[in-house]
Amino acid sequence: MKLRSIFIVAGIVFASNSLYAQYTSDVLRFSQSEPGTTARFKGLGGAQTALGGDISSLSANPAGLGFFTKSDFSFTPEFNNFKVGSEYLGNNVSDKRSKAGINQLGVVFYSPVNKAKGSDLNSGWVSLNFGIGYNKTNNFNSNITYSGKNAKSSMADYFADLAGNTPTGSLGSGSLEQMAYNNFLIEYDPAGYFPTTALNNNQQNIIRRSGSQSEVNIGMAGNYGNKLYLGLSLGLTNLDYTSDLAFSESGNNLTYAGQDPEFLNGTYSFGYNSIQQTRGNGINAKLGLIYKPVNELRLGLSFVTPTWYSLTDDFSENLNTKYKRADGASIPEYTNPLSNYNSEYSLRTPYKVSGGVAYIFGNSGLITADAEYVDYSSIRFSSNFAAEETNTNRDIASLYKANVNYRAGVEFKLIDQFMIRGGYSYSGSPYKNLDFTTQAYSGGLGYRFDNYYLDVTYRHTKWESTNSPYTISSDYPDFSFTGAGPTANLKNTSDNVFLTFGVKF
């Protein structure tokens, strides 16, 4: 894929003046998945490493399957509302998107170990349980809109930067810089390319993202003496991500020597559109144990291998421009055919190690907490293009770091079979030079009757990020004035409702 033409799509973040290319941003996005859980465990902040007894154990610590003493089926629909507030060039805008879907579906089969009549049922291997489940691990749905007046640069500066000092006859056919030249947004003189757009232009960027990551996990766990629980599972993952971008800019034409009289003192407006679709599949494995030194206390440890993905990336873009003469008369629109770029690459996400503790207060309730270690600098990108692979892995190592994520939750039984839950999770910043943490607060209710159960959870998540519509390299002749380009500061929130229906059989 032609990297220099697709920097716009990346949602680029700046750290120490280093540019995150599209792949560098995407591989982080695809590595920030979370364990799939039922509404009960979401209400507990996702802290499940030591708790067990829930189909959610398949996606984090499969040892938890060993706690089942009956077969179990559960189904969790979800409703999500995503909101993004942006600040761009001093202007504030907000956008939102809502979507319903299926978050989790699974079944566990309880299989007690056959023992001789009269033997101790609590010694040796007590049961060997099996489970299979689907769960969503990442949700990409969001709408991002920002706009403002730019007094320092135009996207045409970015086009001129792409063109560099390349002779006009050597610009790549179908390239973004060739489109800009054909549309008279950049011109050429002995010093190189320069923009034909004046400053104080109006800019707007609209990004529509959709898709998700999901897993189908197949696992098993053994219960040894009702003290030690060991489990493993295999995860078959799927990734589907789409980013649809529409950038527009309007303003006055720049006045310069040799200008075509038709454009003198006139105005311009152009629209840049692109769409990126990334799809693929992967595989991972999960190993875990839970130990009960006493009945009330549970200690858990789990290891999630990297996910090895094989991905296909399809990218397309075009650029169209309209002009008006000084007298207000319109000039026929300059259009370009759609350019398409396709590529395939492999991705290895980070491994994860989690430790947890849970304490059970008899039939009154419980408290549980997890700590998870993940090293985002260990992400690896593989491509058939050597330079692309080298540069992406170099940026990953220099920009990302390891961190520890925390989750905790409490559950109390109210009257009869009613339960109330609360949880909190904290994810550290994956960046070395940016403090972009994520926090989530959750609360829920549960009800048990006969062999049926019903759980509902509300979760509120918030995090900050940045997005840049274009980036200008430090080699650009006017970089001292334009800088690296404008950046939008984004405040993201997600409000989710999860509802789990379950039956034991």
Side-chain angles (χ1 to χ4, degrees), residues 344-455:
E344 296 181 354
Y345 65 93
S346 298
L347 166 65
R348 189 192 74 196
T349 68
Y351 67 87
K352 300 176 183 178
V353 178
S354 298
V357 58
Y359 191 85
I360 314 300
F361 299 97
N363 292 321
S364 300
L366 61 88
I367 184 170
T368 179
D370 288 356
E372 175 189 71
Y373 174 84
V374 55
D375 184 3
Y376 292 105
S377 67
S378 69
I379 297 171
R380 285 297 175 267
F381 171 90
S382 300
S383 167
N384 290 331
F385 299 96
E388 191 174 87
E389 178 176 325
T390 299
N391 292 336
T392 300
N393 287 322
R394 177 201 62 208
D395 288 346
I396 289 170
S398 64
L399 298 171
Y400 303 148
K401 68 178 179 67
N403 61 37
V404 178
N405 305 322
Y406 303 96
R407 307 181 184 100
V410 294
E411 177 182 275
F412 294 104
K413 183 175 288 187
L414 299 176
I415 57 174
D416 296 328
Q417 300 301 311
F418 282 96
M419 285 156 283
I420 185 171
R421 307 180 183 103
Y424 171 78
S425 67
Y426 172 91
S427 298
S429 176
Y431 305 101
K432 288 183 177 179
N433 299 309
L434 295 170
D435 186 21
F436 286 160
T437 60
T438 300
Q439 298 184 73
Y441 305 85
S442 57
L445 297 170
Y447 179 61
R448 303 291 182 266
F449 53 103
D450 297 328
N451 289 322
Y452 301 91
Y453 58 92
L454 177 66
D455 296 298

Side-chain angles (χ1 to χ4, degrees), residues 323-339:
Y323 292 96
K324 287 187 177 181
R325 299 184 180 91
D327 61 5
S330 296
I331 298 173
E333 183 178 6
Y334 293 92
T335 62
N336 293 282
L338 195 69
S339 290

Side-chain angles (χ1 to χ4, degrees), residues 7-13 20 25 29 207 209 245 466-468:
F7 285 158
I8 295 176
V9 183
I12 301 196
V13 183
Y20 289 33
S25 298
R29 178 180 293 112
I207 304 170
R209 292 174 179 164
L245 180 148
T466 61
N467 184 276
S468 180

